[in-house]
């Protein structure tokens, strides 16, 4: 009986030891597997970490670059806005061509004057005659001149057309003619309607008696001169 119990005890110890050895192996296997998974996970993590900068570089490269700015802080890649220039005024038409006598004929073509008129070219070297007709003390600024007057001395009517050498002198010459002319130069009659007009390098003086208003007035002659000059005047004055 004792031998049997001893045998059972020995078998029990052997089985216990065997079981303990088998459990240790299994535990070590489980630990090794977990350790391997952890190492693999760490390697994957390291690989992902190494890959992130590359993706980041790609992302940053694909972003559009910000527009550069010049020294004034404005964006250099802006489209240039069209510059706004002030509108240019149309060029002033030149005065009509032709001699002063031709201009007088053109004025009469716009306004017929039923008087016995004659047109004469002025001799600029004849100072006394030049002053009596134009009212100008000197012909220095005048290029050429002509006048139209009644051939009957009892009719106070005189139209003078002057072309000056420089257009800038036209206003000055017009004022001198208006103030210098003698409207009573006929002695027996006098003109009480005295006007001047100028455009570009042309100056026109008209003086007429109001007794002839049914035939012609100074205003009508100025209006005709304006039409000949294209519809505009630089100067229009009445004495």
């Amino acid at each position: 009986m004792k031998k049997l119990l001893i045998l059972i005890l020995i078998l029990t110890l052997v089985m216990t030891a065997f079981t303990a050895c088998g459990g240790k192996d299994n535990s070590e296997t489980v630990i090794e597997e977990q350790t391997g998974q952890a190492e693999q996970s760490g390697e994957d993590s390291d690989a992902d970490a190494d890959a992130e900068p590359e993706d980041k570089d790609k992302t940053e490269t694909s972003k559009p670059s910000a527009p550069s700015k010049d020294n004034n802080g404005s964006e250099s890649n802006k489209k240039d806005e069209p510059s706004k220039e002030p509108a240019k005024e149309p060029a002033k038409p030149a005065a009509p061509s032709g001699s002063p006598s031709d201009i007088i004929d053109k004025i009469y073509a716009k306004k017929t004057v039923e008087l016995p008129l004659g047109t004469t070219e002025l001799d600029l070297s004849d100072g006394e005659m030049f002053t009596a007709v134009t009212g100008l003390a000197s012909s220095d600024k005048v290029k050429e001149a002509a006048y139209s007057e009644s051939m009957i001395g009892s009719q106070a009517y005189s139209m003078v057309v002057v072309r000056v050498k420089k257009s800038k002198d036209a206003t000055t010459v017009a004022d001198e003619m208006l103030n210098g002319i003698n409207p009573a130069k006929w002695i027996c009659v006098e003109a009480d309607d005295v006007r001047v007009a100028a455009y570009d390098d042309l100056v026109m003086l008209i003086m007429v008696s109001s007794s002839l208003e049914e035939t012609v007035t100074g205003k009508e002659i100025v209006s005709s001169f304006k039409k000949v000059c294209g519809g505009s005047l630089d100067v229009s004055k009445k004495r």
Side-chain angles (χ1 to χ4, degrees):
M1 189 65 176
K2 284 183 180 182
K3 289 181 180 180
L4 181 58
L5 289 174
I6 291 171
L7 181 60
I8 292 171
L9 181 58
I10 292 171
L11 290 174
T12 301
L13 292 173
V14 171
M15 292 296 296
T16 301
F18 180 79
T19 302
C21 289
K24 182 178 180 180
D25 294 339
N26 291 337
S27 299
E28 290 177 353
T29 302
V30 171
I31 291 171
E32 288 176 357
E33 290 178 353
Q34 290 178 350
T35 302
Q37 291 176 356
E39 289 176 353
Q40 182 177 0
S41 176
E43 291 175 356
D44 293 341
S45 299
D46 293 339
D48 292 341
D50 293 336
E52 284 180 1
E54 181 180 356
D55 295 339
K56 185 176 181 182
D57 292 340
K58 291 180 180 180
T59 303
E60 291 177 352
T61 303
S62 62
K63 289 183 179 180
S65 59
S68 60
K69 295 184 178 181
D70 56 22
N71 294 333
N72 296 326
S74 60
E75 294 181 1
S76 59
N77 62 347
K78 281 187 176 180
K79 294 182 178 179
D80 294 334
E81 296 181 359
S83 58
K84 296 181 180 179
E85 297 182 356
K88 296 182 178 179
E89 295 183 0
K92 175 183 174 181
S97 60
S99 67
S101 295
D102 294 333
I103 302 301
I104 290 174
D105 291 341
K106 291 178 182 180
I107 292 173
Y108 286 147
K110 302 291 183 183
K111 167 58 184 175
T112 301
V113 179
E114 298 296 339
L115 293 174
L117 303 174
T119 300
T120 305
E121 294 283 346
L122 265 174
D123 181 1
L124 302 185
S125 64
D126 187 346
E128 185 176 351
M129 185 63 176
F130 179 81
T131 300
V133 172
T134 66
L136 295 170
S138 170
S139 61
D140 292 345
K141 297 178 181 178
V142 176
K143 181 178 181 181
E144 51 186 344
Y147 66 100
S148 174
E149 292 186 352
S150 173
M151 291 183 288
I152 299 176
S154 60
Q155 294 176 327
Y157 176 90
S158 178
M159 176 169 54
V160 184
V161 173
V162 168
R163 191 180 291 276
V164 295
K165 296 177 180 177
K166 297 179 180 179
S167 299
K168 66 178 183 178
D169 294 328
T171 300
T172 301
V173 170
D175 288 338
E176 291 178 0
M177 291 175 71
L178 183 63
N179 297 321
I181 195 67
N182 178 14
K185 69 177 184 174
W186 296 279
I187 301 175
C188 58
V189 291
E190 182 176 351
D192 53 0
D193 184 1
V194 184
R195 302 168 188 259
V196 290
Y199 180 77
D200 198 24
D201 64 346
L202 286 177
V203 181
M204 189 276 296
L205 166 72
I206 177 66
M207 60 179 182
V208 59
S209 171
S210 57
S211 63
L212 300 173
E213 62 183 358
E214 292 184 2
T215 301
V216 63
T217 65
K219 184 177 181 180
E220 289 173 336
I221 296 299
V222 169
S223 178
S224 297
F225 177 66
K226 182 177 180 179
K227 291 176 182 177
V228 171
C229 292
S232 62
L233 294 173
D234 298 329
V235 176
S236 180
K237 294 182 179 182
K238 180 180 179 180
R239 185 167 174 176

